[in-house]
Amino acid sequence: MKAAIWAGVDEVTVEDVPEPQLLNDHDVLLRIHKTVTCGSDLHLIGGYIPAMRSGDVLGHEFLGTVVEKGRAVQRVQVGDRVVVPSFVACGSCWYCSQELYSLCDNGNPDPGITEGLWGQSPGGCFGYSHAMGGYAGSHAEYMRVPYADVGCFVVPDGVSDTRALFASDSVTTGWTGAHLGGTQPGDVVAVWGAGAVGQMAARAAMLLGAEQVVVIDRLPERLAQVRTHIGAEAVDFSTTDVVAELRERTGGRGPDVCIEAVGMEAHSTGVQGAFDQVKQQLRLQTDRPSAVREAIRACRKGGSVFVLGVYAGMVDKFPLGALMNKGLTVRGAQQHGQRYVPEILAHMESGALTTEHLATHTMPLSQAAEGYRIFKAKEDGCVRTVFEPGS
């Protein structure tokens, strides 16, 4: 079968790879209808995430039809159209019982790398290096999904493929940040990043009852989507002092909840932004934390900062003094999708949550290299590139 693979730093190719097989009784095989690029894929392709090997199949956000299932699978049937969260969870360990699915003890079959990096291993993630389990990704005609009764969710008939596709990762990640960030009715929420995850974090905050939501970015087409499709306020960080702007918009107090949805390759203006880029390229720090720094500065005293963007290792000049003296609560997580997908699909079915506007570009899987080039360059207003393996 055809699949988009990582062939080296900044190199994606489409090659023939072996078709997946059922490996245990709780697996299913999917025929992939749609799979989409993600900003965190760019960290892999650019060589910032360790443990990639040439030939690894990329992709972790997808929707497909069950074509084969293991003997122990009960909740889904052959022929079901399903969406699957990007993180693999067993449903039985202590973390899964606490609905912390991305921390599953059994989702990552090769935890040694992440235990060395972070002290403990989170769960595994499809198509996201051997540090995260070595699972083949979704940029392929077929893929294997383990723990199918836990991870596969049947899509309602009234929800389109494109809308449901983003319940796999973008919406679930955004919902994780808005919910675990502590969003309450009446809150003011600020979100750094107007990509798919940032937009969905903003929409989730609104559905959780936030009174005012402000999204910060620099790309005019994405800020326009925030205003038009999300219904939130938008701030261009390249033309204003974001901290001062947020103070002005909140009566001098600052946001109650700040959600960072940018990640380890954040852009910023001025000398500090250039300094961060140089240090990252020289590997003197693994990540660029400018958005996190700004969120901590902007957040009101006693407020909450949630780190939703992907980070891999160490950062420089982290404002620990501001965090401590302002009495902030800082959390972070990968998405706990299995916890949120049923609620998300219900909102999609009702029309309260739409995602079609995120799919700015659609093309056959055979054009994956070009799709990633456009996505990385943010060319032609690209927010996400959707691949259709069957076309």
Side-chain angles (χ1 to χ4, degrees):
M1 69 172 186
K2 295 294 184 181
I5 65 168
W6 186 78
V9 175
D10 291 328
E11 187 174 355
V12 175
T13 62
V14 177
E15 306 285 351
D16 286 309
V17 301
E19 291 192 6
Q21 306 292 323
L22 296 176
L23 298 183
N24 64 60
D25 290 344
H26 295 277
D27 291 352
V28 297
L29 299 183
L30 299 186
R31 183 177 71 251
I32 301 300
H33 298 318
K34 292 180 183 287
T35 176
V36 63
T37 60
C38 177
S40 61
D41 291 330
L42 299 179
H43 309 327
L44 295 175
I45 294 167
Y48 294 106
I49 302 291
M52 288 296 288
R53 299 174 189 170
S54 181
D56 284 348
V57 179
L58 297 163
H60 60 265
E61 193 164 5
F62 58 98
L63 173 141
T65 295
V66 178
V67 296
E68 189 176 350
K69 69 171 192 169
R71 292 178 299 176
V73 176
Q74 298 179 349
R75 200 170 60 82
V76 294
Q77 306 300 323
V78 171
D80 283 346
R81 182 175 61 129
V82 298
V83 64
V84 182
S86 59
F87 267 75
V88 179
C90 72
S92 301
C93 70
W94 184 86
Y95 290 98
C96 288
S97 73
Q98 303 300 305
E99 297 188 305
L100 302 172
Y101 291 101
S102 69
L103 304 180
C104 174
D105 271 335
N106 300 310
N108 187 345
D110 187 13
I113 295 173
T114 47
E115 286 176 348
L117 281 172
W118 303 323
Q120 290 180 296
S121 176
C125 181
F126 294 109
Y128 215 77
S129 89
H130 293 266
M132 303 300 286
Y135 292 101
S138 60
H139 292 350
E141 295 177 280
Y142 296 91
M143 71 178 293
R144 179 180 74 94
V145 176
Y147 304 114
D149 279 335
V150 179
C152 290
F153 295 87
V154 177
V155 177
D157 289 340
V159 179
S160 71
D161 281 359
T162 301
R163 184 173 296 187
L165 168 64
F166 291 95
S168 175
D169 190 274
S170 298
V171 187
T172 44
T173 301
W175 205 283
T176 297
H179 180 246
L180 296 187
T183 303
Q184 298 293 323
D187 274 354
V188 177
V189 177
V191 180
W192 276 256
V197 171
Q199 290 189 39
M200 292 300 104
R203 186 61 187 152
M206 296 169 74
L207 291 171
L208 290 169
E211 181 177 305
Q212 182 183 12
V213 178
V214 184
V215 180
I216 299 107
D217 205 295
R218 64 188 172 94
L219 299 175
E221 60 274 12
R222 297 189 178 194
L223 294 172
Q225 286 192 339
V226 167
R227 298 184 186 98
T228 302
H229 297 283
I230 305 303
E233 300 174 30
V235 170
D236 181 348
F237 72 76
S238 69
T239 64
T240 190
D241 181 323
V242 171
V243 175
E245 181 76 19
L246 291 173
R247 291 278 195 277
E248 179 69 23
R249 293 182 184 224
T250 58
R253 189 181 67 185
D256 302 290
V257 179
C258 293
I259 301 171
E260 188 277 343
V262 180
M264 63 189 292
E265 295 182 76
H267 293 274
S268 60
T269 58
V271 175
Q272 185 64 65
F275 182 70
D276 276 333
Q277 291 216 27
V278 169
K279 290 201 71 173
Q280 187 181 45
Q281 295 303 315
L282 293 175
R283 298 302 188 260
L284 298 176
Q285 64 177 359
T286 58
D287 310 331
R288 300 200 298 261
S290 54
V292 176
R293 290 193 197 107
E294 193 166 75
I296 289 172
R297 288 184 59 224
C299 192
R300 71 160 170 85
K301 293 177 287 186
S304 170
V305 175
F306 199 91
V307 181
L308 199 56
V310 171
Y311 289 85
M314 304 296 181
V315 301
D316 187 26
K317 294 180 172 58
F318 184 80
L320 188 59
L323 185 160
M324 181 268 169
N325 286 287
K326 290 175 66 176
L328 302 180
T329 298
V330 177
R331 296 186 68 176
Q334 297 278 9
Q335 57 125 319
H336 303 308
Q338 291 82 349
R339 177 176 183 172
Y340 300 118
V341 168
E343 182 177 5
I344 287 167
L345 289 175
H347 282 301
M348 288 181 164
E349 189 172 26
S350 74
L353 181 56
T354 60
T355 61
E356 288 88 346
H357 68 281
L358 300 173
T360 53
H361 294 69
T362 300
M363 57 185 61
L365 181 65
S366 59
Q367 297 179 24
E370 174 65 4
Y372 267 107
R373 187 196 68 77
I374 293 170
F375 176 55
K376 181 177 181 179
K378 302 178 177 64
E379 190 175 289
D380 188 32
C382 184
V383 175
R384 288 292 183 90
T385 305
V386 175
F387 301 126
E388 296 179 331
S391 63

